[in-house]
Each structure stands twice: as C-alpha cells, then as structure tokens.
Amino acid sequence: STRVLNSAPLVHWNLHKGYMLELQTRGLKVPRSILLEPNIHAEDIYERHGWSQAVIKPAYGASGTSVELRPRTKLAEWARTVWAKRPN
C-alpha cells in the first residue's frame, strides 16, 4: 500500500494551478504565472508581454502532464492536444 502524507484538501487545492497565484500574493517567489480567464487567448498574453515562447500548462493537472515550452506559433497545436485529452 502507498502512504499518503498530504491531506485530501491539500491535494485538491494543488490540482488547479491557480494556487500559484495565491502563493504569489502571500509573498512567495514563484515563476511569474498567469491564469487564462474565459474569453482570453494565450496569444493575447504572449503579445501583451512580448513573449515569443513561454512554459504553458493546463489549469488542472498533476505530474507535469502537458507542460511544455511552446513558441507562440505552436499554441493552437498544443491547445488541440490538451482539449483532446480532456475527459468527457
């Protein structure tokens, strides 16, 4: 059997990457994180910050699944892949 050290609420909190923003507001040094809100496109974020590439990942996930360094020109391909993996 596997021994789990973290409580279920802590694991649940950690599944959505919005926790990175919460850590930032508490003063912890974490990589700059931006959570895409509905009707905001990643291309707009790249444009606003002048990025040609960025590390992107789904808001929900664990173990680094679908986390990639992506150039702006390859965002649509990444999005199609992530959406295809979503459970119905």
Side-chain angles (χ1 to χ4, degrees):
S1 87
T2 301
R3 183 174 176 210
V4 178
L5 300 178
N6 293 323
S7 67
L10 178 63
V11 171
H12 185 263
W13 173 76
N14 185 253
L15 284 176
H16 186 277
K17 300 310 164 218
Y19 79 90
M20 298 293 287
L21 301 175
E22 187 176 332
L23 293 175
Q24 283 178 334
T25 62
R26 292 181 182 193
L28 286 124
K29 292 187 184 252
V30 297
R32 184 172 16 164
S33 299
I34 298 169
L35 184 63
L36 290 181
E37 300 295 335
N39 302 317
I40 303 288
H41 299 281
E43 291 89 347
D44 298 336
I45 301 297
Y46 277 60
E47 179 72 27
R48 186 179 315 143
H49 294 280
W51 298 338
S52 60
Q53 64 181 5
V55 174
I56 57 175
K57 56 185 163 183
Y60 282 95
S63 303
T65 302
S66 297
V67 175
E68 297 182 27
L69 176 62
R70 273 287 168 161
R72 183 177 176 180
T73 57
K74 302 281 185 169
L75 284 173
E77 176 186 321
W78 177 85
R80 280 191 302 274
T81 302
V82 170
W83 278 99
K85 292 179 183 177
R86 290 184 65 179
N88 295 328

